[in-house]
Amino acid sequence: MNEQPKIAVIGGGSWATAIVKMLSENLDTVGWYIRSKSAIEHIKKNNHNPKYLRAAELNASQLDLTSDINKTVANYDVLIFAIPSAFLVSELEKLKKSLKDKIIFSAIKGIVPETGLIVGEHFNKEYDIPFENIGVITGPCHAEEVAMERLSYLTIACRDEQKAKIISNSLKSWYIKTKISDDIIGTEYAAMLKNIYAVAAGIAHGLGYGDNFQSVLMSNAIREMKRFIKKVHKMKRNINNSAYLGDLLVTGYSVFSRNRQFGNMIGKGYTVKSAQMEMSMIAEGYYATKSAYKMKKENGAKTPIIDAVYNVLYADKDAKKEFKKLTNKLD
């Protein structure tokens, strides 16, 4: 894979739009599958996504837009999936074209609910795609800041370094810096786990805890993340790198974090259902919490923060009481 492959994005939300914008800085043509035909027509006429990341200016003449996922899969070599994990299976059920010879990069920061797997593992086990043809695009990077062309950093992980370099070069620009990694499993688990810790940060804020507690929560969260990832995929990694610690911090603290926003509403007394109805976008941390809790029971990792969030979201425990207990388990 030495020459530039044809790259397409699967998904029509904020992060998909941000990735399309980044790719458009370097590629003449970017494939883009969006389910909504009306959104496609709007982008063609107005050069921006009508519902998500409206501030991102797009050049419709560069975009090969379609509402037929099979057309995109047939015509492109690299498929970047950037849809909520909760909808991945239903989108893949539309496929008639094979993924066997495709290179898959996941920009999905969550667990596939139907299988309990991170996205890379899902494609490997369900579609028999070798890990050498699977990669991960992770932060720390919020779509909203990409739209504003604020300096942002991405980590591109793949076992095949050449493929990671090609995607890295396709995404970087004067406002996007990229680095590559071979820790595909670890970076993807980190991207999933940080959403849970952002929900925890939001719950704490909603309950009235201040910055002093938040700093303790985040420092414990990175150590908890390290323990968890080590249990599922042991290899040498620096957990303080931006793909792990940096992504955790931006998701835990940023005003753009939908997971923090979701947790904040829970901390203020919203039910899970009412908080979800109030939000216009999916909070991946909600689904990730259930899967991570199940996994930690199987692998024996010590995860007091995940436990507390699970008890609040799924065991109907009182958030105030659960976080009071949690304060005594942190150091």
Side-chain angles (χ1 to χ4, degrees):
M1 188 180 171
N2 294 316
E3 59 185 46
Q4 178 64 48
K6 295 172 68 178
I7 302 174
V9 176
I10 309 292
S14 296
W15 192 219
T17 305
I19 292 171
V20 168
K21 175 178 169 61
M22 289 184 271
L23 291 171
S24 298
E25 301 281 359
N26 299 297
L27 306 179
D28 293 332
T29 303
V30 179
W32 194 3
Y33 162 73
I34 302 178
R35 184 175 53 181
S36 169
K37 292 181 180 179
S38 61
I40 290 173
E41 291 307 310
H42 186 97
I43 293 167
K44 287 179 177 179
K45 290 178 182 177
N46 302 288
N47 292 299
H48 68 81
N49 194 327
K51 289 187 177 181
Y52 302 98
L53 217 64
R54 290 173 62 90
E57 293 185 14
L58 305 168
N59 182 353
S61 66
Q62 287 181 271
L63 308 177
D64 180 14
L65 289 150
T66 181
S67 59
D68 182 355
I69 192 172
N70 286 288
K71 182 180 176 183
T72 301
V73 170
N75 293 337
Y76 288 85
D77 309 305
V78 179
L79 305 172
I80 299 175
F81 282 81
I83 55 179
S85 60
F87 303 141
L88 179 63
V89 169
S90 61
E91 286 297 327
L92 291 173
E93 285 174 349
K94 300 175 184 177
L95 281 180
K96 296 182 179 69
K97 298 289 183 180
S98 173
L99 294 174
K100 186 177 179 182
D101 298 322
K102 303 298 176 179
I103 296 161
I104 306 294
F105 270 79
S106 169
I108 302 171
K109 300 174 180 180
I111 286 280
V112 181
E114 291 86 348
T115 59
L117 300 171
I118 54 174
V119 177
E121 290 178 334
H122 181 82
F123 277 108
N124 175 254
K125 292 186 178 180
E126 300 295 321
Y127 291 87
D128 202 28
I129 297 173
F131 277 114
E132 288 71 23
N133 286 346
I134 296 173
V136 177
I137 300 170
T138 187
C141 189
H142 276 304
E144 292 81 359
E145 293 203 352
V146 172
M148 293 184 278
E149 299 186 353
R150 290 182 175 174
L151 182 61
S152 302
Y153 292 69
L154 292 174
T155 298
I156 317 300
C158 185
R159 287 187 183 174
D160 185 326
E161 184 179 351
Q162 183 63 24
K163 288 170 184 151
K165 284 181 177 178
I166 288 173
I167 300 305
S168 173
N169 291 334
S170 300
L171 290 167
K172 69 182 180 182
S173 65
W174 67 268
Y175 60 93
I176 301 292
K177 292 186 181 295
T178 60
K179 64 178 291 186
I180 62 172
S181 167
D182 62 352
D183 186 16
I184 174 177
I185 302 296
T187 52
E188 194 166 7
Y189 269 105
M192 177 269 285
L193 291 167
K194 55 97 177 181
N195 288 331
I196 304 172
Y197 301 131
V199 172
I203 293 174
H205 185 265
L207 289 170
Y209 288 92
D211 292 344
N212 292 342
F213 176 74
Q214 293 280 9
S215 67
V216 173
L217 182 66
M218 289 294 102
S219 64
N220 277 264
I222 192 62
R223 283 177 276 158
E224 183 171 305
M225 178 188 286
K226 183 178 181 179
R227 292 194 299 269
F228 188 103
I229 296 175
K230 191 174 181 180
K231 288 284 188 180
V232 295
H233 186 241
K234 190 174 182 179
M235 70 172 281
K236 187 177 180 181
R237 61 175 62 87
N238 185 353
I239 204 72
N240 295 320
N241 281 347
S242 58
Y244 315 97
L245 178 58
D247 209 7
L248 168 66
L249 293 176
V250 75
T251 310
Y253 286 127
S254 176
V255 294
F256 295 124
S257 172
R258 67 192 72 169
N259 290 285
R260 181 185 166 94
Q261 180 187 346
F262 172 73
N264 188 45
M265 294 168 76
I266 298 296
K268 288 182 175 178
Y270 282 72
T271 64
V272 168
K273 189 172 183 180
S274 61
Q276 289 174 323
M277 290 175 66
E278 189 95 359
M279 294 181 66
S280 60
M281 295 184 285
I282 294 285
E284 293 277 16
Y286 172 72
Y287 301 100
T289 299
K290 187 174 184 180
S291 296
Y293 183 78
K294 180 183 177 183
M295 290 180 66
K296 83 101 193 187
K297 292 190 79 174
E298 293 170 353
N299 65 38
K302 183 183 176 184
T303 58
I305 302 173
I306 292 173
D307 297 353
V309 175
Y310 176 87
N311 287 337
V312 173
L313 298 184
Y314 288 95
D316 203 27
K317 297 289 181 68
D318 180 75
K320 188 174 183 180
K321 291 179 180 177
E322 282 301 309
F323 270 66
K324 177 65 175 175
K325 292 179 190 173
L326 178 61
T327 62
N328 295 320
K329 297 176 183 177
L330 305 181
D331 54 38

